[in-house]
Amino acid sequence: MRTDLFDFELPATSIALRPASPRDAARMLVVQADGALSDRIVSELPQWLKPGDQLVVNDTKVISAQLKGRRIGRETEPKIEATLIKRLDGSRWQALVKPAKRLAPGDIVRFGNEGKVCLLGHLDAEVEAKGEEGEVTLSFSFHGPTLDQAIADLGTPPLPPYIASKRTPDDRDAADYQTMFAANQGAVAAPTAGLHFTPGLEAALRSRGVGLHRLTLHVGAGTFLPVKVEETSEHRMHAEWGSISADTAAALNAARANGGRIVAVGTTSLRLLESATTEDGTTQPFDGETSIFITPGYRFRAVDILMTNFHLPRSTLFMLVSAFSGLDTMKRAYAHAIARGYRFYSYGDACLLFRRPH
């Protein structure tokens, strides 16, 4: 399909720069299977679900993936900014760096700034390789948990560019940009639909008879990128690591056999569930990478209802929701949301989408 079919105009004023407080006070646009729209709030979610339905959340934890430092060992020591995007092994990460032209393979970057030096001292990394568009492979001087702690000490949460370009990230973001389910470190972007949940909402869902299950998908920086090719078939999807336990897979299969619906909280949960589910609708345990790219025409195997935020024009995520609910329906829903003042993107409001019949 042509990428421009997924374009739309979004006023800059629609982009949320802070989350709703409390989190479940955010608005929620319900898009039913027949395309009907209802303006609600997130705390009303239990009313839209039935006893026996199963909610699936992503328990990935955002790391402090934004690092600042300088190149050392040469005559000049230019400042370098790096955003970690993918762990390769215990000491190596893929990263996006600025300015990439100041780095060459073999260079050493020393991370740490005055007043914020990790307990282990400075954190050094060698540029092992350079790729396209500012991407490099960094080999750090620390390894494993020691490296994780150094990154946590020195880094800051990597706010999406559409927020960070409008205001300076601050201490509030360290808490705001983490879901209440966050447990397994490894994401460089939050699974933002999960940001709407509170302990009170979880308790209300359980009282309703709705189950709650966790999976892990470490969200990569590619989630922010618009699709630049003219045809969706030409787009190369970034790979992300995910895991679904045998217990979770068995619980979802049992619930589905008893007529329960599977509710994915976020496109990350949906993508991993669809990657782990066979043609006949059986969800398997999963441990590995997925680069599934869902566009209109895809036949959903695992997920009946999707709770998600409002996404960027021309993004793979807007393509995914268009596959789930229909492109015309989602364009109409987004036009409604813009006209009614819904807040878009990571800190914005939610949609609750009921899957369009195949």
Side-chain angles (χ1 to χ4, degrees):
M1 296 183 74
R2 294 201 328 271
T3 303
D4 61 10
L5 292 173
F6 302 92
D7 208 355
F8 56 88
E9 287 293 324
L10 183 72
T13 52
S14 296
I15 300 172
L17 300 183
R18 297 282 185 189
S21 182
R23 293 182 180 213
D24 58 4
R27 299 171 72 187
M28 182 174 72
L29 178 61
V30 178
V31 183
Q32 299 190 60
D34 62 0
L37 306 178
S38 302
D39 297 307
R40 303 290 176 169
I41 58 175
V42 170
S43 60
E44 296 174 348
L45 175 63
Q47 301 169 26
W48 292 89
L49 303 180
K50 300 173 184 175
D53 288 346
Q54 306 296 312
L55 213 70
V56 184
V57 301
N58 186 357
D59 69 3
T60 189
K61 188 172 186 178
V62 182
I63 64 169
S64 297
Q66 210 116 48
L67 296 166
K68 292 184 178 181
R70 56 194 169 87
R71 185 188 71 196
I72 62 172
R74 289 210 251 158
E75 288 182 10
T76 59
E77 297 192 342
K79 292 181 178 179
I80 301 293
E81 292 185 13
T83 302
L84 307 180
I85 58 173
K86 185 180 180 183
R87 185 193 299 273
L88 300 177
D89 57 32
S91 61
R92 293 159 65 245
W93 276 85
Q94 273 182 308
L96 295 172
V97 296
K98 302 190 294 189
K101 63 185 178 184
R102 305 303 296 269
L103 293 178
D107 280 345
I108 302 295
V109 181
R110 175 161 290 168
F111 295 107
N113 46 54
E114 286 188 51
K116 194 177 182 186
V117 177
C118 67
L119 295 174
L120 302 159
H122 292 290
L123 176 60
D124 289 353
E126 179 181 347
V127 179
E128 199 173 83
K130 284 188 76 172
E132 298 177 357
E133 297 185 7
E135 200 170 288
V136 301
T137 300
L138 294 176
S139 180
F140 287 94
S141 53
F142 297 138
H143 183 89
T146 309
L147 174 59
D148 295 344
Q149 187 59 54
I151 291 169
D153 287 348
L154 288 170
T156 55
L159 274 190
Y162 43 74
I163 296 175
S165 64
K166 291 183 168 59
R167 67 167 176 81
T168 304
D170 56 32
D171 291 344
R172 281 172 59 186
D173 294 305
D176 287 346
Y177 199 56
Q178 207 75 268
T179 74
M180 63 174 273
F181 308 110
N184 294 312
Q185 292 197 80
V188 299
T192 53
L195 294 177
H196 297 295
F197 282 76
T198 64
L201 179 56
E202 180 180 0
L205 287 161
R206 293 193 186 280
S207 295
R208 177 75 168 152
V210 175
L212 193 143
H213 307 275
R214 290 165 169 78
L215 52 71
T216 304
L217 184 77
H218 290 327
V219 191
T223 191
F224 299 136
L225 299 177
V227 177
K228 295 179 179 178
V229 293
E230 292 185 5
E231 293 285 336
T232 58
S233 58
E234 298 168 3
H235 179 66
R236 183 172 63 88
M237 195 72 174
H238 57 286
E240 296 164 320
W241 181 89
S243 174
I244 298 175
S245 71
D247 286 349
T248 294
L252 296 179
N253 291 329
R256 192 182 287 110
N258 289 325
R261 298 173 298 180
I262 306 304
V263 186
V265 176
T267 56
T268 60
S269 296
L270 180 145
R271 291 177 61 243
L272 189 57
L273 286 167
E274 292 294 328
S275 300
T277 300
T278 60
E279 291 276 0
D280 68 356
T282 302
T283 299
Q284 311 272 16
F286 190 95
D287 192 342
E289 289 195 331
T290 178
S291 56
I292 189 171
F293 180 26
I294 295 175
T295 57
Y298 176 85
R299 291 186 64 83
F300 289 87
R301 306 167 180 179
V303 176
D304 303 295
I305 302 169
L306 170 63
M307 182 179 176
T308 186
N309 283 25
F310 291 94
H311 303 295
L312 282 74
R314 302 175 77 104
S315 64
T316 61
L317 304 183
F318 185 62
M319 294 173 186
L320 185 155
V321 297
S322 297
F324 197 80
S325 294
L327 178 57
D328 290 342
T329 295
M330 289 314 299
K331 283 197 162 185
R332 185 166 52 83
Y334 272 44
H336 171 93
I338 292 167
R340 296 292 178 93
Y342 278 75
R343 302 161 74 245
F344 273 61
Y345 301 166
S346 297
Y347 279 157
D349 296 317
C351 291
L352 186 67
L353 309 179
F354 290 77
R355 196 184 75 207
R356 186 179 63 168
H358 286 308

